[in-house]
Amino acid sequence: MKKLLLAATVATLAMNAAQAAPTLYGKLNVTLDQIDKNGFKDESVTKVNSNASRIGVKGEEKLTDNLSAVYLIEWQISADGDGDVFSNRNRYVGIKSDGIGTLKVGQHDSYFKNAAGNNQDIFNDHNELDMTKVLVGEDRLKNVIAFETDKKLLGGLAFNIMFQQGEESSAVKNNAKGQKGSRDSFGDGVSTSLTYENKDWGLAAAVAGNFGVASKYNAYSDLSGDNSVYSDAIRVTGSLDLTAAGVNGLVLGALWQTAQPTDDTVAVTSGTPAVVTSYKGLQEDAYGVTAAYVIPSTPVKLKAEYISSTTEVNGRDDRKQDLYGVGADYQINKQTRFYGVVGQQKRDWLVKDDKKTTIGLGMEYNF
């Protein structure tokens, strides 16, 4: 009898340990890129790039029949050896209610960013072709409390909202960053989205908004240096898989967005001469279209994107950026793909060296 009880105890402990065991996961995404007019300068360079390679730990632990604890910790790693060995990506702890939703606390991609899925940001993570090169809003937010509903709750419709705490002293003023006053309250920044997915129709769509969220305007980065500007933005995205219409393997995607500073602030820094920073009239409007086609009965996927943004501010000429890209993936299995890309980013306000061209070959491995 004692042997039977001992065996049962060991088995129970083993089951609990297996249930609680975290999942180790990651991705190595490395390319060899030839870049002409690197940094929009009269120079060419060959680079080995680690395109947001990462490693992480995640897990889910049952607390009751309907509640689970969830957690995730993710680091970006430099597979090419450049830069920091580890840098923070998403990380949170939370509670999940089956069929209702999940509450998360920590650091997380904004829901504005996530509204652009794989069918809009088809060159996601690539150092030169990721749409963050030309668009406001591709941000990961610290100090957040987030809630996202289960997609099954409302038949494919999901609501997500995230509150960011600024955690500043009440004496801090943010006029030089596009927002009046200090960020010392609950929900100083808010990111939210409403998404819909219907796999039978091959349809996915989202409407997202940022309010008081720090983002960078690439065209006018000289206004704020390396600092981001607290901004309000709206993004609308959609994609359609035409397999349901009889065109197997073809997926079309689209994106539109607009962004502007939360407040029309003007900041004057004392000194000789005084530095005046004005965000009056600053606004970025952008759109993008993408296409992906899996050649039937082959492991080959062809991809193309065009993204354009126009930025304006009072007292200056408008500035336009265009990002073009084409590529081909060769999917070996679920974990491994080889791929090639050709892309170009253009800035219309530069007198010379206004086009940066990238040709690259890469490999991605997921584990």
Side-chain angles (χ1 to χ4, degrees):
M1 185 64 180
K2 290 182 179 180
K3 290 182 179 181
L4 181 61
L5 289 173
L6 180 60
T9 301
V10 171
T12 300
L13 290 173
M15 290 176 64
N16 288 338
Q19 184 184 30
T23 299
L24 177 68
Y25 69 95
K27 176 169 70 174
L28 295 174
N29 185 352
V30 180
T31 53
L32 177 64
D33 296 314
Q34 177 64 35
I35 304 173
D36 184 44
K37 306 301 181 184
N38 180 52
F40 296 96
K41 300 176 183 178
D42 187 17
E43 63 179 36
S44 297
V45 65
T46 301
K47 291 184 178 181
V48 174
N49 279 320
S50 174
N51 303 284
S53 296
R54 68 202 64 168
I55 189 169
V57 178
K58 61 183 177 179
E60 180 174 332
E61 176 73 29
K62 276 286 187 182
L63 302 177
T64 69
D65 289 341
N66 297 317
L67 289 178
S68 301
V70 294
Y71 59 91
L72 180 146
I73 307 173
E74 188 173 282
W75 297 267
Q76 183 164 312
I77 59 176
S78 299
D80 57 355
D82 293 334
D84 296 332
V85 177
F86 292 103
S87 58
N88 288 2
R89 287 179 59 86
N90 289 347
R91 47 200 51 220
Y92 60 79
V93 64
I95 297 292
K96 176 181 177 182
S97 178
D98 291 342
I100 297 178
T102 304
L103 180 70
K104 300 176 179 179
V105 182
Q107 174 173 294
H108 201 283
D109 287 340
S110 72
Y111 290 128
F112 185 94
K113 176 183 178 180
N114 287 344
N118 293 333
N119 293 322
Q120 291 85 32
D121 195 8
I122 60 174
F123 293 110
N124 182 37
D125 292 338
H126 191 279
N127 279 13
E128 305 300 331
L129 297 184
D130 191 304
M131 64 185 190
T132 190
K133 290 290 185 180
V134 296
L135 294 183
V136 165
E138 297 295 286
D139 305 301
R140 182 172 297 117
L141 307 187
K142 300 178 181 179
N143 307 316
V144 300
I145 298 175
F147 178 75
E148 49 198 51
T149 62
D150 193 312
K151 292 181 180 179
K152 296 178 290 184
L153 180 64
L154 299 172
L157 191 68
F159 175 70
N160 313 290
I161 190 165
M162 177 182 298
F163 300 96
Q164 182 185 37
Q165 284 52 252
E167 301 185 358
E168 292 179 343
S169 164
S170 59
V172 174
K173 304 301 178 186
N174 288 293
N175 284 30
K177 298 181 181 179
Q179 190 173 31
K180 296 177 181 178
S182 64
R183 293 169 63 88
D184 58 354
S185 305
F186 177 82
D188 293 307
V190 177
S191 184
T192 186
S193 69
L194 186 66
T195 65
Y196 177 73
E197 185 175 1
N198 188 313
K199 293 183 178 179
D200 293 334
W201 298 349
L203 175 66
V207 179
N210 270 356
F211 307 95
V213 172
S215 296
K216 188 169 185 178
Y217 295 76
N218 291 288
Y220 279 112
S221 58
D222 57 301
L223 280 175
S224 57
D226 293 329
N227 296 320
S228 295
V229 180
Y230 293 119
S231 300
D232 297 347
I234 300 295
R235 171 178 282 184
V236 180
T237 68
S239 66
L240 184 62
D241 187 336
L242 294 175
T243 300
V247 186
N248 292 343
L250 179 61
V251 180
L252 303 177
L255 172 150
W256 172 88
Q257 70 176 56
T258 184
Q260 60 186 19
T262 301
D263 298 308
D264 280 340
T265 58
V266 177
V268 180
T269 303
S270 60
T272 305
V275 178
V276 179
T277 303
S278 173
Y279 295 113
K280 288 187 176 295
L282 179 61
Q283 181 170 320
E284 179 185 287
D285 296 306
Y287 68 91
V289 290
T290 62
Y293 179 62
V294 178
I295 300 176
S297 303
T298 76
V300 178
K301 177 191 282 189
L302 305 178
K303 303 189 293 189
E305 76 171 0
Y306 170 63
I307 300 174
S308 179
S309 67
T310 300
T311 311
E312 59 186 65
V313 68
N314 289 358
R316 299 194 186 189
D317 293 335
D318 294 356
R319 292 184 172 184
K320 182 181 179 183
Q321 296 188 91
D322 293 315
L323 182 64
Y324 310 83
V326 294
D329 294 353
Y330 190 91
Q331 198 75 40
I332 302 295
N333 53 35
K334 290 183 178 180
Q335 289 77 38
T336 310
R337 72 178 173 113
F338 294 100
Y339 64 95
V341 295
V342 178
Q344 186 176 86
Q345 183 181 349
K346 181 179 179 181
R347 293 179 169 178
D348 76 343
W349 66 89
L350 298 178
V351 176
K352 63 175 185 177
D353 303 326
D354 61 336
K355 300 181 184 71
K356 180 179 66 174
T357 303
T358 301
I359 301 174
L361 293 173
M363 175 181 176
E364 178 182 288
Y365 182 77
N366 294 271
F367 60 90

